Amino acid sequence: AAGVIQSPRHLIKEKRETATLKCYPIPRHDTVYWYQQGPGQDPQFLISFYEKMQSDKGSIPDRFSAQQFSDYHSELNMSSLELGDSALYFCASSPRGRDGNTIYFGEGSWLTVV
Amino acid sequence: AQTVTQSQPEMSVQEAETVTLSCTYDTSENNYYLFWYKQPPSRQMILVIRQEAYKQQNATENRFSVNFQKAAKSFSLKISDSQLGDTAMYFCAFMSDTDKLIFGTGTRLQVFP
């Protein structure tokens, strides 16, 4: 079965640089979520989209932005990177209202800021 | 606001034995979903089991089962016949209808041979 695809899997950036993470949800899933997991922490919700519209916002810094495109893929843009942005970034998708609202995660994108 | 609490930072169990991981949550919602996710050393987030709050029957997936006590707001995970591959961080998570997942702080499970 198709899963959530994230790219790149690993990314190394310098402070103050910009990074873009991409996410391709499971086909026919209409909701996409972005989570950030720091070392030794639980995943923290950043932002979500439903049918290409932002549906909820969590602890996402103003330096970060995201959008969902017409083909349902999503991109997380991170600017003015700081050392504290080093984390594992998960994208997840769900078929809202179906399949028990289950959220399926991609394998994550490792961002290291040096 | 909803919260999820996992009071056991670490647990250990011997291979083939049974272990139970605890989770409590707080919500004023009546319709919601509860999940257990497994995160092995690869850091992949893998769905283990889910429970819909309106269903009284406890969910079961092979060696994994839950004890869902809605009135007590408790959602524990029982792993039977533990295997070395069960070694991982386990996160309990809550989601109200059409909302986001809220995670607990996790329980690190070590299975010993």
Side-chain angles (χ1 to χ4, degrees):
Chain A
V4 178
I5 305 297
Q6 290 188 245
S7 67
R9 293 294 316 283
H10 299 270
L11 193 59
I12 300 175
K13 291 286 186 178
E14 294 188 351
K15 283 195 308 183
R16 293 179 290 278
E17 283 193 319
T18 297
T20 297
L21 306 181
K22 295 186 178 182
C23 169
Y24 295 84
I26 294 171
R28 293 180 296 282
H29 281 197
D30 47 23
T31 304
V32 167
Y33 307 83
W34 286 97
Y35 281 82
Q36 177 193 59
Q37 187 179 28
Q41 297 180 357
D42 54 288
Q44 295 296 311
F45 171 71
L46 294 178
I47 196 167
S48 63
F49 294 88
Y50 171 63
E51 283 292 344
K52 292 158 279 185
M53 298 287 289
Q54 181 182 309
S55 59
D56 198 359
K57 202 170 181 180
S59 50
I60 184 170
D62 292 340
R63 299 177 288 107
F64 292 11
S65 65
Q67 58 181 323
Q68 187 178 30
F69 295 86
S70 59
D71 64 351
Y72 290 92
H73 95 272
S74 178
E75 295 184 4
L76 177 66
N77 299 293
M78 301 174 284
S79 62
S80 302
L81 287 169
E82 301 173 357
L83 295 179
D85 296 329
S86 295
L88 180 58
Y89 290 83
F90 283 109
C91 175
S93 73
S94 78
R96 180 176 288 197
R98 295 177 285 118
D99 192 22
N101 276 357
T102 301
I103 296 179
Y104 297 90
F105 285 78
E107 294 188 331
S109 292
W110 286 94
L111 171 64
T112 302
V113 182
V114 297
Chain B
Q2 293 91 356
T3 59
V4 179
T5 301
Q6 293 180 250
S7 58
Q8 304 155 315
E10 294 184 356
M11 294 280 284
S12 62
V13 63
Q14 199 151 21
E15 205 174 2
E17 297 293 306
T18 295
V19 64
T20 298
L21 308 183
S22 301
C23 172
T24 58
Y25 59 95
D26 190 24
T27 184
S28 58
E29 303 278 344
N30 193 47
N31 188 31
Y32 52 87
Y33 304 84
L34 295 162
F35 304 87
W36 280 96
Y37 283 87
K38 168 186 177 181
Q39 190 174 41
S42 66
R43 301 294 294 277
Q44 190 175 357
M45 194 68 77
I46 302 165
L47 175 67
V48 175
I49 198 165
R50 73 168 185 235
Q51 176 80 42
E52 291 147 339
Y54 64 86
K55 290 187 177 179
Q56 291 186 333
Q57 187 172 5
N58 289 324
T60 299
E61 287 287 342
N62 301 313
R63 298 182 296 107
F64 299 88
S65 61
V66 298
N67 183 4
F68 174 48
Q69 302 289 327
K70 190 172 183 178
K73 295 180 182 173
S74 170
F75 183 61
S76 61
L77 174 70
K78 185 172 83 171
I79 306 174
S80 304
D81 187 25
S82 297
Q83 300 176 0
L84 297 178
D86 295 334
T87 293
M89 180 73 89
Y90 286 82
F91 289 100
C92 178
F94 170 99
M95 184 174 70
S96 61
D97 203 18
T98 68
D99 202 354
K100 57 189 176 292
L101 272 176
I102 298 170
F103 287 91
T105 51
T107 297
R108 186 174 303 279
L109 176 67
Q110 179 73 50
V111 180
F112 291 98

